[in-house]
């Protein structure tokens, strides 16, 4: 091969590799996801009740260095600087940003209604990130009822039970917590299992239960947010990744097991006088998605 042909071949191969890659200034190139090094991980819940507010929004380090958050906007409202706080759990190594927002005004001036797409934007370190999220109104989108009725059904060894609830029109899916209370030698032990479904029913099967079930609780929560199957982030941009949710009023029921110690556990509808470690909706959401962090 002549020297000229060798030079032309080298030029062609070099151009081919450049064409298959991404330019340095193309941070969002889908063919090169490894180019994006996010600085923060967002994890939070947005409420509509009836104003928009958030009290559980946290941004943690993602790439080893904490992001320097400059400002945050919810819709057309800037978050007050005093509501962008810096905190830590036990030590400075557990630090995170804590962002609070509560919409001012009255019902006639509120930005969003049930089913609206809200926009949340974070700026810092010369970069930005945005999340577009459909909002659920806590009251308007709540689950009205769930069956079987509270303490009206009994579960035998090897039995399954299907719980059904009223639909929440704007929900993307439902988080389901199955709480199993195991009773042995006068002592209760609580076990928690977490699931997601797009249906308005969920079947508790024997595989989810223990050998000595006193009773079970089933809680259903209507949710909007990222895909619960893949855990993919619902943020865009090259600064912050993570997940942001909205949820509405939930409902729960209790089903008596085959090893219930006393008839007093069959409490009337609405009774809730047991000493038990209750999980909040935020804790359920967090537990469901730990696998994706």
């Amino acid at each position: 091969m002549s020297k000229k042909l060798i030079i032309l071949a080298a030029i062609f191969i070099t151009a081919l590799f450049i064409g298959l890659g991404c330019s340095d200034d193309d941070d969002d190139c889908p063919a090169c996801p490894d180019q994006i090094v996010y600085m923060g991980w967002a994890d939070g819940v947005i409420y509509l009740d009836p104003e928009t507010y958030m009290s559980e929004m946290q941004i943690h380090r993602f790439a080893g260095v904490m992001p320097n958050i400059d400002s945050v906007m919810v819709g057309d409202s800037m978050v007050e600087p005093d509501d962008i706080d810096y905190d830590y759990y036990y030590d400075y190594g557990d630090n995170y940003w804590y962002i609070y927002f509560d919409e001012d005004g009255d019902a006639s001036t509120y930005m969003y209604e049930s089913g609206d797409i809200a926009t949340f934007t974070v700026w810092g370190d010369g970069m930005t990130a945005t999340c577009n999220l459909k909002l659920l109104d806590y009251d308007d989108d709540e689950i009205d009822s769930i069956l079987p009725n509270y303490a009206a059904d009994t579960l035998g060894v090897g039995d399954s039970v299907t719980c059904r609830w009223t639909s929440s029109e704007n929900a993307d899916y439902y988080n389901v917590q199955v709480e199993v209370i195991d009773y042995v030698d006068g002592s209760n032990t609580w076990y928690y299992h977490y699931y997601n479904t797009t249906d308005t029913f969920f079947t508790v099967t024997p595989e989810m239960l223990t050998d000595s079930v006193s009773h079970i609780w089933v809680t259903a929560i209507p949710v909007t947010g990222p895909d619960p199957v893949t855990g993919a982030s619902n943020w865009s941009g090259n600064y912050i990744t993570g997940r942001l949710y909205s949820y509405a009023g939930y409902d729960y029921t209790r089903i008596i097991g085959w090893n219930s110690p006393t008839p007093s556990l069959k409490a009337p509808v609405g009774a809730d006088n047991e000493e038990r470690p209750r999980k909040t909706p935020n804790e359920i959401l967090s537990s469901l998605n730990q696998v994706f962090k």
Side-chain angles (χ1 to χ4, degrees):
M1 180 181 291
S2 69
K3 184 175 181 181
K4 182 177 181 181
L5 287 176
I6 293 174
I7 294 173
L8 288 174
I11 293 172
F12 174 77
I13 293 171
T14 302
L16 179 64
F17 277 109
I18 292 174
L20 291 175
C22 304
S23 64
D24 292 338
D25 58 357
D26 191 1
D27 291 337
D28 294 326
C29 175
C32 305
D34 292 341
Q35 286 191 0
I36 303 176
V37 180
Y38 300 105
M39 295 190 65
W41 173 270
D43 195 0
V45 177
I46 308 300
Y47 302 88
L48 193 61
D49 192 25
E51 79 280 8
T52 303
Y53 70 95
M54 55 187 179
S55 58
E56 301 288 340
M57 176 70 170
Q58 296 181 7
I59 298 178
H60 298 257
R61 72 181 72 233
F62 186 78
V65 179
M66 281 295 293
N68 297 294
I69 304 298
D70 294 332
S71 53
V72 179
M73 177 176 279
V74 180
D76 59 8
S77 300
M78 294 297 298
V79 175
E80 295 293 331
D82 290 344
D83 292 331
I84 304 174
D85 199 10
Y86 195 68
D87 205 347
Y88 60 90
Y89 290 115
Y90 304 107
D91 203 345
Y92 288 112
D94 300 318
N95 50 349
Y96 60 93
W97 292 96
Y98 183 92
I99 300 170
Y100 173 82
F101 175 79
D102 196 349
E103 186 177 4
D104 293 331
D106 54 44
S108 65
T109 62
Y110 290 152
M111 292 183 290
Y112 301 117
E113 296 180 352
S114 173
D116 287 348
I117 303 298
T119 301
F120 306 90
T121 309
V122 177
W123 290 272
D125 297 294
M127 293 181 282
T128 184
T130 301
C131 178
N132 295 308
L133 177 67
K134 180 171 62 174
L135 296 184
L136 296 181
D137 184 282
Y138 192 85
D139 296 320
D140 292 346
D141 293 306
E142 70 177 351
I143 292 174
D144 292 326
S145 63
I146 187 170
L147 294 173
N149 289 326
Y150 188 99
D153 205 357
T154 301
L155 197 63
V157 177
D159 284 351
S160 297
V161 60
T162 298
C163 297
R164 302 178 183 276
W165 53 86
T166 53
S167 175
S168 177
E169 180 181 356
N170 291 310
D172 292 337
Y173 52 90
Y174 302 89
N175 288 162
V176 179
Q177 174 187 271
V178 178
E179 177 185 354
V180 182
I181 292 81
D182 190 75
Y183 180 75
V184 177
D185 296 331
S187 178
N188 287 326
T189 304
W190 285 263
Y191 298 92
Y192 298 90
H193 306 284
Y194 304 100
Y195 307 92
N196 291 296
T197 180
T198 55
D199 299 316
T200 55
F201 61 88
F202 183 84
T203 299
V204 180
T205 63
E207 293 76 18
M208 302 175 188
L209 305 176
T210 60
D211 293 333
S212 305
V213 175
S214 168
H215 54 287
I216 65 174
W217 296 78
V218 178
T219 302
I221 307 171
V223 180
T224 63
D227 186 338
V229 177
T230 65
S233 171
N234 58 341
W235 287 78
S236 61
N238 61 353
Y239 187 43
I240 302 294
T241 187
R243 296 183 298 274
L244 201 58
Y245 301 89
S246 178
Y247 70 81
Y250 60 96
D251 205 355
Y252 58 84
T253 189
R254 185 172 68 175
I255 299 160
I256 307 302
W258 58 86
N259 198 35
S260 182
T262 64
S264 63
L265 281 177
K266 297 184 179 182
V269 174
D272 190 19
N273 54 5
E274 291 182 55
E275 292 291 333
R276 91 185 219 265
R278 296 288 299 274
K279 299 280 187 178
T280 68
N282 287 343
E283 290 172 327
I284 294 173
L285 282 170
S286 178
S287 298
L288 275 160
N289 295 287
Q290 284 296 325
V291 67
F292 299 125
K293 288 190 175 181

